[in-house]
Amino acid sequence: MKTYNKLVRDKIPELMLKEHELPTTRILNDDEYINELNKKLEDEVKVYLENENIEEMVDILEVIRAILEFKGSTFEELEEKRIKKANKKGSFKEKVYLEKVMQNGD
């Protein structure tokens, strides 16, 4: 027996059954769900940073979409906010690395 205690994609238990595994699951309440989504986001980012595999970004995006939906927003609204912020502050295309800022009189 393996213990996971983590949020999984909806079809994972069904896929496990097809592999003759018997998963034990439960449905999370809202507080548990958002907490687990946040943990999942952190875990998925760590996995991406370990191997920089672009495929891992798919999992990151899926978690972000779930968080947005839970919070009553959409990916399209997030993209609109991203564009607005990029127009105001720029993006990261020019690879600008800020080393320090001198104050007047320094």
Side-chain angles (χ1 to χ4, degrees), residues 35-101:
N35 187 48
E36 290 300 316
L37 280 170
N38 289 331
K39 279 199 243 178
K40 187 64 131 178
L41 180 58
E42 184 177 29
D43 291 344
E44 296 299 348
V45 169
K46 282 180 186 175
V47 171
Y48 167 74
L49 291 174
E50 287 170 4
N51 61 36
E52 295 185 13
N53 182 340
I54 212 85
E55 276 295 309
E56 298 300 337
M57 287 189 162
V58 172
D59 294 328
I60 294 168
L61 281 176
E62 192 64 34
V63 175
I64 289 171
R65 282 185 183 273
I67 292 170
L68 288 168
E69 184 177 313
F70 178 79
K71 292 184 176 270
S73 193
T74 65
F75 195 78
E76 292 72 24
E77 289 170 329
L78 181 67
E79 179 64 6
E80 287 174 21
K81 289 179 183 192
R82 184 201 66 78
I83 291 168
K84 188 183 246 184
K85 192 168 193 174
N87 287 337
K88 184 177 180 179
K89 296 187 176 188
S91 59
F92 298 98
K93 293 177 185 175
E94 295 180 22
K95 306 174 189 172
V96 176
Y97 183 82
L98 181 63
E99 292 181 341
K100 60 183 161 181
V101 176

Side-chain angles (χ1 to χ4, degrees), residues 27-39:
I27 304 302
L28 301 173
N29 66 39
D30 286 351
D31 289 339
E32 292 172 315
Y33 181 57
I34 192 63
N35 187 48
E36 290 300 316
L37 280 170
N38 289 331
K39 279 199 243 178

